[in-house]
Amino acid sequence: MNRVRNQLELNKIEMVHENNESTPVTVAVLDSGIDRKHPDLEGKILAFQDFVAGRAIPYDDYGHGTHVCGCIAGSGKISDGIYAGIVPDARLVIGKILDRRGDGSVEKMAEAMRWIMELKDAYNIRVLNISIGTGKGYKNQEYDEIRELLNEAWYHGIMIVCAAGNSGPAGGSISMLGMNRNIITVGCHEGRETYRFGHPCQLYSGRGEVSDIYRKPDIVAPGTEIISCKAAPYRGKTIFDKYYCKKSGTSMATAIVSGCCALFFQKNPEESNEYCKRRLLQTARNLGEAWNKQGYGMVNPAAM
């Protein structure tokens, strides 16, 4: 069966869990929200803020955020652990900044970033997952505030993980968010598993310019047909059809890397985001691809 952990070649991931002292780690997710009633996500939400419609109760009317949260922290409860996320005991802080069509704005993201900074100490937020991209349509001055907020979050110890976007494979197709030096920008690649897919995600994963000052993406992870939590309504004849679905893209790859970073902080709660970044990149497996396609290579959580 297709599992997130199988695609990551995480045959040693259990070793990481066995040696882990289970220090609670919180991952903040800025996305389309979360389905609070999904059995794999119950009890994980520490805080929720709706920056789109102002609703108080967690929800997800697009489905993307629920899938991302499942990749990171799904318990796998309804599937007997088969479709568990990377770090099943992580806690979540959710900022809904995308509407039911998956659209958002720089202003909403800025509001959400300020909210995350207010909560970071109270909820021990160590990782921020941004599985969304920005196109070229934003003006530089609109992005300036986001860049400043992201830098502030980084300097306050939050590991920021952002999607490279799905506008590749041309050079310079990485999301504007991902061009920030203080962000781990994640591209998509299936490594040796590429042959299993007719349209693997590396064919459209955002790529950097060879001449850019900051060489991007930083790292790649699997992102093709990733099975994770499905937002309501739960329809289907099987457990899988009701509660799970497949999605592809750098969003899924980003969530996988965020989960790996959360695992790192569980095992090493006193370490900094700078050290986590070094371990993440220095232990990546070189795929032999161009830098602007693979960065340092495939994420390698067991070595990390």
Side-chain angles (χ1 to χ4, degrees):
M1 302 178 84
N2 184 9
R3 298 172 61 181
V4 169
R5 287 191 280 190
N6 280 347
Q7 289 188 324
L8 263 174
E9 303 177 71
L10 300 185
N11 57 317
K12 297 181 181 178
I13 200 70
E14 286 77 13
M15 175 188 70
V16 177
H17 284 292
E18 288 171 4
N19 295 331
N20 170 39
E21 297 180 357
S22 298
T23 301
V25 173
T26 301
V27 179
V29 179
L30 301 184
D31 212 291
S32 63
I34 187 171
D35 181 356
R36 74 188 189 282
K37 293 184 178 180
H38 194 290
D40 288 7
L41 298 172
E42 287 180 345
K44 294 185 174 296
I45 306 169
L46 295 182
F48 171 84
Q49 184 74 30
D50 180 6
F51 295 94
V52 176
R55 292 165 58 177
I57 298 176
Y59 71 104
D60 184 0
D61 51 0
Y62 182 53
H64 188 272
T66 297
H67 195 278
V68 165
C69 289
C71 290
I72 297 170
S75 68
K77 174 183 177 182
I78 202 68
S79 62
D80 293 327
I82 293 174
Y83 301 122
I86 299 298
V87 53
D89 48 355
R91 304 175 299 181
L92 298 170
V93 168
I94 308 296
K96 178 176 172 59
I97 61 174
L98 301 181
D99 62 22
R100 60 185 178 85
R101 293 181 296 271
D103 295 330
S105 69
V106 171
E107 291 78 14
K108 298 302 181 184
M109 183 177 290
E111 290 181 38
M113 284 297 306
R114 288 191 288 268
W115 177 70
I116 292 295
M117 291 300 295
E118 292 173 0
L119 299 182
K120 69 178 182 64
D121 293 331
Y123 292 122
N124 187 33
I125 297 173
R126 300 303 307 273
V127 182
L128 170 59
N129 185 92
I130 308 178
S131 282
I132 58 179
T134 56
K136 301 293 185 181
Y138 293 105
K139 298 178 181 178
N140 287 335
Q141 58 266 34
E142 291 179 312
Y143 180 62
D144 283 345
E145 183 178 12
I146 294 294
R147 183 167 53 245
E148 291 175 5
L149 290 167
L150 290 171
N151 287 338
E152 180 183 358
W154 176 266
Y155 291 126
H156 280 82
I158 298 177
M159 188 77 172
I160 306 171
V161 188
C162 176
N166 302 325
S167 299
S173 55
I174 278 186
S175 162
M176 285 184 68
L177 282 179
M179 291 309 299
N180 192 313
R181 178 173 62 88
N182 291 323
I183 282 181
I184 295 297
T185 306
V186 183
C188 193
H189 204 296
E190 294 305 323
R192 290 191 290 262
E193 298 294 316
T194 295
Y195 69 92
R196 297 175 55 197
F197 305 99
H199 191 59
C201 59
Q202 60 262 35
L203 297 180
Y204 54 84
S205 179
R207 301 188 191 183
E209 290 280 11
V210 176
S211 59
D212 283 339
I213 297 176
Y214 305 126
R215 300 172 74 178
K216 295 287 185 173
D218 295 282
I219 200 164
V220 292
T224 306
E225 297 185 7
I226 300 297
I227 296 174
S228 185
C229 298
K230 175 183 177 182
Y234 310 128
R235 294 171 182 163
K237 295 181 180 180
T238 67
I239 289 292
F240 173 82
D241 292 334
K242 284 185 177 180
Y243 294 104
Y244 301 99
C245 62
K246 295 178 181 179
K247 289 185 183 294
S248 300
T250 57
S251 291
M252 287 67 247
T254 300
I256 288 171
V257 172
S258 289
C260 292
C261 293
L263 275 180
F264 175 86
F265 287 124
Q266 278 193 348
K267 187 172 178 62
N268 306 278
E270 302 304 319
E271 295 292 357
S272 67
N273 56 348
E274 289 281 359
Y275 184 68
C276 180
K277 178 180 179 179
R278 289 199 299 272
R279 293 296 301 165
L280 176 72
L281 301 184
Q282 291 172 1
T283 60
R285 179 167 55 85
N286 187 357
L287 299 174
E289 301 272 19
W291 181 283
N292 71 332
K293 181 178 180 180
Q294 72 153 37
Y296 280 82
M298 179 69 74
V299 63
N300 187 351
M304 177 186 173

